[in-house]
């Protein structure tokens, strides 16, 4: 194990400074119009992401995928995964998948 100073660990975002997040993906029904897509994604951000201190980076059309992390430095939890997954399922989205908690700076993303 490499012996690194606390300052370097903070700069590298490793060990006690790592940040946990998770991937998310979902699909809209075939034929969903652009207005509905925009509306549902806006609701997702305003009802599931922002109120829980989360941030979402992603994109899509009928099939969406992205990364969820905290708005401020910190770690997502299993509860955050459940909130996101439940919201997507409860709003009728298909093929909802949330990945395991990962180090958002160093782990490979798995959609």
């Amino acid at each position: 194990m490499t012996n690194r100073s606390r300052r370097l660990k903070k700069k590298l975002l490793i060990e006690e400074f790592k940040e946990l997040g998770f991937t998310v993906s979902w699909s809209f029904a075939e034929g969903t119009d652009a207005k509905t897509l925009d509306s549902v994604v806006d609701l997702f951000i305003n009802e599931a992401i922002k109120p829980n201190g989360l941030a979402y980076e992603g994109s899509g059309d009928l099939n969406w995928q992205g990364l969820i992390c905290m708005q401020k430095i910190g770690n997502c939890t299993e509860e955050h995964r459940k909130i996101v997954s439940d919201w997507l399922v409860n709003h009728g989205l298909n093929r909802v998948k949330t990945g395991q908690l990962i180090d958002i700076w160093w782990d490979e993303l798995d959609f």
Side-chain angles (χ1 to χ4, degrees):
M1 179 184 218
T2 304
N3 188 15
R4 294 186 171 109
S5 70
R6 182 171 169 80
R7 181 174 175 216
L8 183 57
K9 290 188 285 188
K10 185 175 181 181
K11 190 172 193 161
L12 293 172
L13 298 166
I14 59 174
E15 297 182 26
E16 69 265 32
F17 299 102
K18 73 180 175 183
E19 296 179 73
L20 299 179
F22 57 95
T23 58
V24 63
S25 61
W26 72 87
S27 298
F28 287 91
E30 192 67 36
T32 303
D33 62 85
K35 185 176 179 179
T36 301
L37 293 172
D38 290 344
S39 175
V40 172
V41 172
D42 286 347
L43 277 174
F44 175 59
I45 300 292
N46 291 324
E47 293 180 359
I49 299 299
K50 286 182 181 179
N52 292 293
L54 301 173
Y56 170 73
E57 173 66 34
S59 63
D61 186 27
L62 291 179
N63 300 304
W64 283 72
Q65 61 184 23
L67 176 69
I68 294 183
C69 60
M70 299 301 295
Q71 286 180 11
K72 297 182 179 181
I73 294 174
N75 294 311
C76 289
T77 65
E78 290 296 329
E79 180 64 22
H80 291 123
R81 289 179 65 238
K82 181 174 178 4
I83 289 167
V84 167
S85 181
D86 288 352
W87 191 95
L88 293 167
V89 168
N90 291 337
H91 284 79
L93 297 160
N94 304 317
R95 296 191 298 274
V96 173
K97 179 182 172 190
T98 56
Q100 297 300 313
L101 293 174
I102 58 168
D103 182 331
I104 63 170
W105 296 103
W106 296 100
D107 288 343
E108 290 187 32
L109 300 181
D110 179 27
F111 294 101

